[in-house]
Amino acid sequence: MTDPISSVLPEDNTQTPDRLRQALEQFTAHQKSQFIDRVPVTALVEARSRYIDNLLESLWHHFNLHQHPTLALIAVGGYGRGELHPLSDVDILLLSEEPVDEATGNTISTFLTLLWDLKLDVGHSVRTVDECISFGREDLTVATNLFESRWLCGNHDTYQHMEERLNDGHFWPSKPFYQAKLEEQRTRHARYHDTTYNLEPDIKSSPGGLRDIHTLSWVARRHFGATSLLEMSRFGFLTDAEYRELVECQDALWRIRFALHVELRRYDNRLTFGHQASVAELLGYQGEGNRPVEMMMKDFYRTLRRVAELNKMLLQLFDQAILNKGAAPEPIILDEDFQLRGPLIEATKPALFQARPETILDMFLHIARNSQIEGIAAPTLRQLRTARRRLNRFLVDIPEAREKFMELIRQTNCLHRAFPLMHRHGVLSTYLPQWSQIVGQMQFDLFHVYTVDEHTIRLLKNLYKFSNPENRQQHPICCEVYPRVTKKELLLLAAIFHDIAKGRGGDHSELGGEDAYDFCLLHGLSKPEANLVKWLVNQHLLMSVTAQRRDIYDPEVITAFAKEVRDEERLDNLICLTVADICATNQELWNSWKRTLLAELYYSTQKALRRGLENPPDMRERIRHNQQMASALLRSQGFPQRDIDVLWQRFKADYFLRHTHKQIAWHAEAILTHEEQDKPLILVSKKATRGGTEVFVYCQDKAKLFAIVVAELDKKNLSVHDAQIMTSKDGYALDTFMVLDHNGEALSDMRQNAVRRSLINALTHMKSERKRKRPPHKLRHFTVKTQVDFLPTKSGKKTLMELVALDMPGLLARVGSEFARQGISLQAAKITTIGERAEDFFIVTNQDGEQLTPDEQTRLKDALIARLEKQ
């Protein structure tokens, strides 16, 4: 490659920032074409660093900064390592022995301004040697950048002076530096939930990312003076194979980062959904649909896991060398194969796992049983890594290993101690072939935030939480139910297999159920036990779908669900699996609303099973009970029974069936005291109701009422999760909306009056001034085909409709508006958002209050699809 600087900085100094910028853009474009032509990324990263070196040196002389007696230009940080990607920051230090004078300061400003004009992201500081040492002692990041400094041009003696001060033993000694870097890494990992398997990972900062390699380099440089991974291997802390593996991993991460930077305009290291496809294409992955991204991300996650494992192992060795000066505590013998050295378990024989692979599970049995064990010793981890690579069959094919696995899964502490470590160190993949297929398996939606394998591990951890009474407030039912589940190992096996067939095509619940059944029989479980595990895997979504997308106040729905569940053992297992699954999908999904829905479904089903499905509940008795209880509350507040009876004669029986007696009394009190009958009455519950805020609307019923209410609530950034749409015998709306704020919480006191006033105003004028909102940025990368399906009903009196669509702003308002246009009467709605998908459930009738005819269904379906597909 020709020197790009010689052509843009001739002797006559006629070049302009535009000419320099053009040359830089040409160089970047040339590197992109080289990258596509598969030029090694190491060469490209180093070439970009040399290019910037030449540019800065030329400009340094161009501005006569070389004439300053002690001034030096120093590269620091990643640039100091000689590593620059297309959008990397160019971090420089202008170093002098004494503070620069005003004239030099002005020249430096002009120099930096030109660099910014060239669209370089320059991070700079102008400091004396003393200031560098002072700031470095106070700030670990500054100190780290200085340790990676590289002289570019100017006074070399000044740079040498700083280097001597940095290495004199008083500036960040290796022990505090190591401890600080370890804590820095822990904090960084916590920001990514301590997992490499986030669906939109950060190439640089995620656990197992480039920063983990940098951390090893920084510690080795500070303690041993090693300036590269190769030098680390010469100190004996890194085997030749591990050195080659780290270099290979760094190269893989660099390729992905370089490709990402080629695609982006602004600096970022996050591999977001919006860029994964284009990065995969640049890297040469091919296939139909999402296949290229799946292949790229699986390779990426495997790389992160390898780096994370090497990072943990090598830091453990550094810990012993730096903190303990090479000394190790005396071992405590656990059995003939394992011993405890400090808090770490280690094998007593150098090739134990290769000779008897089933002993790998023995090690995790010790970890599950012994709370003193905090991890695996580095030599044993090395042995495990070697054995993993050399195994020529899966551990599940070894009878002794199967026995140990079942023994392990019956251990109380296997969920939070053994299984996460087994996943982290590739043992679950070594044991079970199906698990190896879901490692790094992407989930292309905004609902999930983890890969399939990481989601499953988090589900297992959630099950363990149900055994701790401290979590009772967040999970009251599960903390009550889980301890009484008699065969917890069956629930855990269902958890392991519930998503194991994702990515294979077909119904993952059915495929996973078959795998689970075969696994259970292979591991000595009885057919009834295997059938329970299979059923749980097959139906692991049933309870969530029923609670969130069906009318659980309809006795027919409860009866149908109870018939599918059949007995309380299944019900108890299913509620635990369901809640753990939801919480493991996305930490923001679980809220009091979902908790309440699932609780109501659980207890209603439990009653139905105990009563016997052949004895359905007496609806008339429930109506009479609610009326009597509400009457008593109203009379205690001074309302005459006659006024109560007159009001209730206007209401249909369904109203009393679908509301509690406290809700009925609350509504009735407000209606009986409502003076301005021509104005709508809006009630907003003061306290959280069923996990959300109840908004009650009472006014003369009109066609667009639902559309106006939901549009107004959308303007207030409130999400509607449930709606009961009712009409009195004399044509008044008795509509109840259950709403949550953007955090999934009930409305605060401050917002309640504002919501009430806005609804009154909108319904008084029967219009909502809805400003068109832009879809959230993330939604732009997803398409959801609008689907409208009609479900059969036993009664035949109403029509059940399911809608699947992109969760765009104002979706419900559009749906409500289309109902009004088509003359459709809405009876109830269940609103569910799953990432980018809205999966909503509506109960509707035609204008005559009857079930929709096939023609009416077709017209409504076509109209909704046309309306919602039109952006």
Side-chain angles (χ1 to χ4, degrees):
M1 187 185 300
T2 58
D3 179 5
I5 299 299
S6 59
S7 62
V8 294
L9 280 174
E11 294 298 324
D12 60 6
N13 294 330
T14 59
Q15 292 297 343
T16 63
D18 287 340
R19 298 277 299 276
L20 292 169
R21 191 183 307 116
Q22 185 180 16
L24 185 56
E25 288 171 354
Q26 289 173 351
F27 175 79
T28 300
H30 180 56
Q31 282 213 306
K32 179 179 179 179
S33 65
Q34 287 185 306
F35 182 76
I36 293 172
D37 291 339
R38 301 294 178 260
V39 170
V41 70
T42 305
L44 296 176
V45 168
E46 292 173 352
R48 186 171 186 85
S49 181
R50 288 196 304 273
Y51 179 98
I52 298 301
D53 287 354
N54 291 335
L55 174 62
L56 294 181
E57 185 177 357
S58 297
L59 292 176
W60 185 264
H61 285 86
H62 176 72
F63 287 106
N64 294 317
L65 287 168
H66 62 287
Q67 295 179 1
H68 190 284
T70 67
L71 194 62
L73 182 63
I74 313 298
V76 294
Y79 181 35
R81 294 191 301 270
E83 303 167 3
L84 279 185
H85 289 258
L87 296 177
S88 292
D89 292 343
V90 178
D91 293 327
I92 55 175
L93 166 65
L94 291 101
L95 182 68
S96 68
E97 290 289 0
E98 302 293 338
V100 298
D101 55 45
E102 184 177 354
T104 303
N106 291 335
T107 305
I108 289 172
S109 295
T110 307
F111 168 74
L112 293 171
T113 300
L114 177 56
L115 296 180
W116 292 324
D117 287 342
L118 298 181
K119 305 299 182 185
L120 290 172
D121 287 323
V122 178
H124 77 283
S125 56
V126 183
R127 289 175 181 156
T128 65
V129 173
D130 287 342
E131 286 173 336
C132 287
I133 300 303
S134 176
F135 287 131
R137 284 191 175 125
E138 296 173 1
D139 191 319
L140 181 65
T141 301
V142 172
T144 305
N145 281 340
L146 292 175
F147 283 136
E148 294 186 307
S149 61
R150 179 169 58 90
W151 178 82
L152 295 175
C153 55
N155 190 304
H156 192 272
D157 289 341
T158 303
Y159 170 69
Q160 197 64 40
H161 182 204
M162 183 185 73
E163 283 286 284
E164 291 169 359
R165 296 281 300 276
L166 293 176
N167 296 310
D168 68 1
H170 299 290
F171 181 84
W172 280 101
S174 61
K175 182 176 179 179
F177 183 79
Y178 166 74
Q179 291 172 321
K181 277 297 170 188
L182 200 60
E183 183 56 35
E184 182 182 72
Q185 178 171 290
R186 287 194 190 106
T187 303
R188 173 168 52 80
H189 285 185
R191 291 202 301 270
Y192 299 92
H193 306 141
D194 291 307
T195 178
T196 60
Y197 297 102
N198 294 289
L199 291 183
E200 293 188 301
D202 190 296
I203 302 165
K204 189 175 179 180
S205 299
S206 288
L210 288 167
R211 270 287 180 255
D212 280 12
I213 299 177
H214 297 158
T215 298
L216 295 174
S217 299
W218 292 329
V219 173
R221 179 189 289 260
R222 189 72 199 105
H223 187 68
F224 305 110
T227 58
S228 67
L229 295 176
L230 181 59
E231 285 192 31
M232 279 175 60
S233 67
R234 291 172 180 167
F235 282 94
F237 282 87
L238 198 62
T239 66
D240 289 343
E242 289 161 355
Y243 162 71
R244 290 192 297 272
E245 185 174 1
L246 266 182
V247 170
E248 179 185 324
C249 289
Q250 178 175 265
D251 187 74
L253 295 175
W254 274 9
R255 290 187 68 241
I256 295 175
R257 190 184 186 203
F258 200 97
L260 178 64
H261 280 205
V262 165
E263 286 297 302
L264 296 176
R265 289 188 175 184
R266 293 182 179 178
Y267 176 83
D268 197 353
N269 292 304
R270 292 173 302 150
L271 203 49
T272 61
F273 288 128
H275 296 107
Q276 287 170 3
S278 56
V279 170
E281 183 180 357
L282 264 178
L283 293 171
Y285 289 93
Q286 297 178 344
E288 297 295 323
N290 291 322
R291 184 61 181 157
V293 174
E294 285 188 354
M295 290 190 294
M296 176 188 73
M297 295 305 292
K298 278 197 172 185
D299 287 345
F300 175 66
Y301 289 124
R302 288 190 188 105
T303 301
L304 291 185
R305 187 186 64 78
R306 291 163 71 193
V307 171
E309 193 171 54
L310 284 167
N311 170 274
K312 188 174 186 65
M313 183 180 73
L314 294 170
L315 285 179
Q316 191 187 118
L317 293 172
F318 289 155
D319 189 288
Q320 184 176 336
I322 297 171
L323 300 186
N324 299 312
K325 298 181 180 179
E330 286 296 313
I332 300 172
I333 302 300
L334 298 175
D335 59 24
E336 62 176 336
D337 293 324
F338 295 97
Q339 61 191 22
L340 188 61
R341 197 182 291 274
L344 305 175
I345 189 171
E346 62 180 22
T348 58
K349 304 176 184 69
L352 175 66
F353 298 145
Q354 291 183 63
R356 291 184 289 133
E358 69 275 9
T359 56
I360 294 173
L361 293 170
D362 284 327
M363 178 171 69
F364 288 98
L365 271 166
H366 280 299
I367 291 171
R369 291 168 175 162
N370 191 333
S371 60
Q372 291 180 293
I373 302 174
E374 296 178 5
I376 303 170
T380 303
L381 192 51
R382 270 196 174 123
Q383 185 187 152
L384 176 61
R385 287 165 55 80
T386 301
R388 228 171 42 205
R389 286 192 293 267
R390 295 181 180 176
L391 268 175
N392 55 12
R393 56 178 170 167
F394 288 96
L395 290 175
V396 73
D397 295 328
I398 302 173
E400 295 86 351
R402 294 199 292 269
E403 291 179 13
K404 295 176 190 301
F405 185 88
M406 290 309 297
E407 188 179 352
L408 176 62
I409 207 168
R410 291 185 174 105
Q411 298 299 313
T412 304
N413 292 323
C414 70
L415 292 177
H416 77 295
R417 292 182 58 80
F419 275 95
L421 269 181
M422 290 170 72
H423 175 47
R424 183 184 302 164
H425 296 303
V427 175
L428 284 178
S429 298
T430 304
Y431 187 82
L432 190 61
Q434 293 96 328
W435 187 273
S436 67
Q437 294 175 34
I438 62 167
V439 172
Q441 176 65 46
M442 289 290 289
Q443 307 198 67
F444 294 95
D445 56 49
L446 293 178
F447 181 57
H448 296 87
V449 296
Y450 306 111
T451 55
V452 177
D453 52 332
E454 179 65 18
H455 160 73
T456 303
I457 289 297
R458 287 174 179 268
L459 191 160
L460 292 170
K461 288 181 179 179
N462 288 334
L463 288 176
Y464 176 76
K465 289 180 182 178
F466 301 155
S467 63
N468 188 343
E470 292 180 2
N471 295 310
R472 184 174 290 274
Q473 184 174 357
Q474 188 178 14
H475 301 296
I477 293 181
C478 293
C479 285
E480 174 192 335
V481 169
Y482 183 75
R484 70 171 183 245
V485 172
T486 53
K487 295 182 179 178
K488 293 182 175 61
E489 67 272 18
L490 304 184
L491 176 57
L492 305 193
L493 289 173
I496 289 171
F497 279 90
H498 84 290
D499 275 353
I500 209 160
K502 278 192 172 180
R504 289 194 224 163
D507 186 330
H508 77 278
S509 300
E510 291 295 325
L511 295 172
E514 294 297 330
D515 286 349
Y517 183 82
D518 293 341
F519 181 93
C520 289
L521 296 184
L522 181 65
H523 286 72
L525 296 177
S526 66
K527 285 189 176 181
E529 291 172 325
N531 278 320
L532 173 58
V533 175
K534 179 182 179 181
W535 182 85
L536 286 169
V537 175
N538 289 159
Q539 304 296 341
H540 72 271
L541 297 173
L542 175 66
M543 196 167 198
S544 177
V545 169
T546 303
Q548 297 183 72
R549 294 164 55 189
R550 295 292 180 266
D551 182 9
I552 59 174
Y553 303 103
D554 183 342
E556 288 184 7
V557 171
I558 297 300
T559 300
F561 179 74
K563 284 181 177 178
E564 183 63 53
V565 173
R566 290 197 339 212
D567 58 54
E568 287 194 52
E569 180 186 20
R570 284 185 170 190
L571 180 63
D572 286 351
N573 278 277
L574 188 58
I575 183 70
C576 292
L577 183 61
T578 300
V579 174
D581 190 17
I582 293 173
C583 294
T585 299
N586 186 328
Q587 290 181 328
E588 298 177 2
L589 284 178
W590 186 247
N591 54 37
S592 53
W593 166 248
K594 286 187 174 67
R595 180 170 63 237
T596 303
L597 280 181
L598 287 166
E600 291 183 357
L601 176 58
Y602 175 84
Y603 287 122
S604 296
T605 307
Q606 188 184 63
K607 286 180 184 177
L609 292 170
R610 290 179 178 179
R611 184 177 58 243
L613 299 181
E614 69 280 2
N615 300 312
D618 187 339
M619 295 298 102
R620 288 173 297 179
E621 177 58 33
R622 185 186 296 181
I623 290 170
R624 283 195 297 271
H625 172 77
N626 282 342
Q627 288 177 333
Q628 290 168 0
M629 296 293 288
S631 291
L633 285 174
L634 289 167
R635 288 197 306 272
S636 69
Q637 296 176 39
F639 291 98
Q641 185 64 49
R642 181 179 177 281
D643 292 352
I644 298 170
D645 292 340
V646 169
L647 175 65
W648 284 353
Q649 285 172 7
R650 297 169 52 206
F651 297 171
K652 298 173 185 176
D654 212 27
Y655 170 83
F656 299 101
L657 186 63
R658 292 178 178 274
H659 294 88
T660 66
H661 70 276
K662 289 184 179 179
Q663 285 177 302
I664 295 168
W666 179 46
H667 298 166
E669 178 187 358
I671 294 171
L672 290 170
T673 56
H674 185 49
E675 297 179 355
E676 299 178 89
Q677 293 296 320
D678 58 330
K679 285 192 175 182
L681 169 67
I682 306 294
L683 300 179
V684 181
S685 61
K686 297 292 183 185
K687 296 181 179 179
T689 304
R690 289 162 50 201
T693 295
E694 180 182 346
V695 176
F696 177 69
V697 177
Y698 172 80
C699 63
Q700 286 191 331
D701 192 26
K702 296 182 181 179
K704 289 189 177 182
L705 191 145
F706 175 79
I708 290 171
V709 170
V710 294
E712 202 62 28
L713 293 172
D714 183 61
K715 275 172 60 178
K716 297 293 183 183
N717 290 320
L718 302 178
S719 56
V720 177
H721 284 257
D722 189 274
Q724 291 289 346
I725 310 300
M726 297 186 178
T727 310
S728 67
K729 295 174 184 176
D730 55 348
Y732 273 76
L734 301 163
D735 298 348
T736 300
F737 299 84
M738 198 62 62
V739 301
L740 300 176
D741 66 15
H742 66 284
N743 293 320
E745 302 292 337
L747 271 65
S748 64
D749 294 342
M750 295 174 62
R751 299 200 64 194
Q752 291 171 4
N753 284 334
V755 170
R756 195 175 66 84
R757 286 194 300 269
S758 67
L759 285 173
I760 290 173
N761 181 63
L763 293 175
T764 299
H765 300 94
M766 284 307 291
K767 65 179 181 179
S768 176
E769 300 295 334
R770 186 170 62 88
K771 295 181 179 178
R772 192 173 182 85
K773 295 181 182 178
R774 289 185 178 182
H777 179 73
K778 284 190 174 183
L779 283 184
R780 298 173 193 172
H781 308 303
F782 292 91
T783 56
V784 176
K785 184 180 179 182
T786 302
Q787 296 174 261
V788 178
D789 295 302
F790 297 94
L791 308 177
T793 60
K794 287 187 177 180
S795 65
K797 295 178 181 179
K798 297 173 183 177
T799 296
L800 310 184
M801 186 192 88
E802 274 192 323
L803 170 70
V804 176
L806 184 68
D807 184 35
M808 66 188 81
L811 173 67
L812 269 185
R814 295 188 197 188
V815 172
S817 177
E818 203 54 51
F819 282 162
R821 287 188 190 184
Q822 299 292 321
I824 300 298
S825 178
L826 178 63
Q827 306 297 313
K830 298 276 281 190
I831 312 303
T832 306
T833 302
I834 302 177
E836 73 283 359
R837 292 163 59 91
E839 298 189 359
D840 301 341
F841 173 79
F842 302 93
I843 301 176
V844 296
T845 61
N846 60 20
Q847 287 178 315
D848 299 323
E850 298 174 349
Q851 190 178 45
L852 270 60
T853 66
D855 286 345
E856 287 171 331
Q857 289 182 10
T858 300
R859 284 198 299 273
L860 177 59
K861 178 177 181 176
D862 292 345
L864 282 171
I865 291 175
R867 180 77 180 273
L868 299 182
E869 290 290 337
K870 182 181 178 182
Q871 296 296 323

